[in-house]
């Protein structure tokens, strides 16, 4: 039986950076994100008794060794939980460029988790799917529930599970993603997470996380854009400060990244409801109230160094497709 699932990537408002347990991907701090409708990964999985090994195709090609091994390890987790003994055929396709700071691993592991668990005969709750997705990729846990999502954390596997704070229709915000580069980044998030504790700033960032989480929840609950802007930019800059002061340092920004940050602050000072956040890459996610999305996207397109602008609105969680 071939089972197909779809998941959206998500943009973190409060970032996950560093693990308290790398093998289980138990995050050092809790995080909050919004699923991004319009961008998606669709993955089909079938367990086929005759197959000598797992067969994986990503965007029409067999993936590089490390990516394939990561998928096989995730299929092994599903096999261990379900008792399914066969190898799997996995076909996955995303409609956005991987490795550019749009969290492709989030939608990839969320879709894989939903498709593989159903194909293996498992019937998991949303919480269990989220925990399982998290072990594949931390941010994938947040692509399982709907809309505005919190990923809790704690010392045990059961503690680190995501749930929806509000559905996608709760607040009309948009993410105008300014693509500065389509090149894959040189240091991926998994390696970056391992470096987090080498920065003397990481402990301060983690210690202050519950306060930022509370302010972000409040901003979402009350649809308070100025508060959201303040807390999202602070959280992003704290994470990049940790990255830049790790050993070795990780500097994901390019000159155009900094130019966009300055523009956004100037536009906000002029009254436009817009704020920036940046993941592990040079692209800038410009969050705005939905009504301002067209204006922001058109201003971004005029900036030198911006190759493309994608506009996304809050999306659903991962789901099985018929
Ligand atoms: C900067 O989930 O991509 O996007 O668990 O190793 O797959 P792995 O890392 P990943 O890390 C996400 C880092 C981030 C911030 C965030 O999305 O919270």
């Amino acid at each position: 039986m071939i089972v197909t699932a779809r998941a959206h990537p998500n943009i973190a408002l409060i970032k996950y950076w560093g693990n308290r347990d790398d093998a289980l991907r138990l995050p050092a701090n809790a995080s909050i994100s919004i699923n991004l409708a319009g961008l998606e990964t669709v993955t089909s999985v079938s367990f086929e008794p005759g197959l000598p090994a797992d067969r994986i195709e990503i965007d029409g090609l067999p993936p590089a060794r490390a990516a394939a091994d990561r998928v096989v390890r995730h299929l092994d987790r599903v096999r261990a939980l379900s008792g399914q003994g066969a190898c799997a055929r996995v076909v996955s396709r995303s409609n956005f460029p991987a490795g550019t700071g749009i969290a492709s691993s989030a939608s990839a592991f969320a879709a894989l988790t939903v498709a593989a668990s159903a194909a293996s005969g498992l019937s998991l709750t949303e919480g269990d799917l989220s925990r399982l997705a998290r072990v594949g990729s931390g941010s994938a846990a947040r692509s399982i529930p709907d809309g505005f999502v919190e990923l809790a954390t704690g010392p045990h596997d059961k503690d680190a599970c995501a749930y929806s704070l509000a559905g996608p229709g709760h607040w009309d915000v948009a993410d105008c993603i300014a693509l500065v580069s389509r090149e894959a980044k040189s240091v991926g998030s998994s390696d970056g997470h391992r470096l987090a504790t080498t920065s003397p700033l990481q402990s301060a960032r983690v210690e202050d996380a519950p306060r930022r989480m509370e302010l972000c929840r409040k901003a979402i609950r009350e649809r308070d854009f100025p508060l959201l802007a303040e807390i999202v930019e602070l959280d992003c800059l704290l994470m990049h400060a940790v990255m830049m002061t790790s050993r070795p340092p990780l500097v994901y920004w390019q000159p155009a990244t900094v130019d966009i940050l300055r523009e956004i602050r100037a536009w906000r000072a002029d009254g436009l409801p817009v704020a920036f956040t940046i993941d592990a890459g040079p692209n800038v996610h410009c969050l705005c109230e939905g009504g301002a999305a067209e204006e922001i996207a058109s201003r971004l397109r005029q900036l030198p160094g911006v190759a493309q602008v994608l506009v996304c609105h809050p999306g659903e969680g991962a789901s099985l497709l018929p």
Side-chain angles (χ1 to χ4, degrees), residues 135 163 191 204 247:
V135 188
Y163 57 93
D191 292 330
R247 277 197 322 270

Side-chain angles (χ1 to χ4, degrees), residues 56 134 211 224 239 253 294:
I56 301 154
R134 189 206 73 228
R211 184 187 70 88
D224 181 340
M239 179 183 74
W253 297 1
E294 243 174 71

Side-chain angles (χ1 to χ4, degrees), residues 65-193:
R65 181 68 186 271
D69 288 351
R70 198 169 163 185
V71 172
V72 170
R73 284 199 298 276
H74 206 57
L75 292 168
D76 286 341
R77 289 177 197 118
V78 173
R79 280 187 280 255
L81 279 174
S82 64
Q84 167 63 253
C87 289
R89 196 180 296 276
V90 176
V91 178
S92 182
R93 195 169 280 282
S94 297
N95 66 353
F96 57 95
T100 55
I102 302 175
S104 56
S105 66
S107 52
F109 279 91
L112 178 65
T113 300
V114 171
S117 58
S120 74
L122 284 168
S123 171
L124 300 179
T125 63
E126 182 180 272
D128 288 337
L129 285 167
S130 164
R131 269 185 284 269
L132 181 56
R134 189 206 73 228
V135 188
S137 169
S139 57
R142 297 187 312 238
S143 282
I144 299 286
D146 281 340
F148 297 76
V149 177
E150 169 162 347
L151 171 57
T153 191
H156 306 293
D157 179 64
K158 67 172 174 35
D159 305 321
C161 156
Y163 57 93
S164 181
L165 291 170
H170 166 71
W171 191 8
D172 180 22
V173 287
D175 179 8
C176 303
I177 310 169
L179 293 180
V180 165
S181 164
R182 280 177 161 274
E183 275 168 40
K185 56 202 176 204
S186 55
V187 179
S189 300
S190 301
D191 292 330
H193 288 297

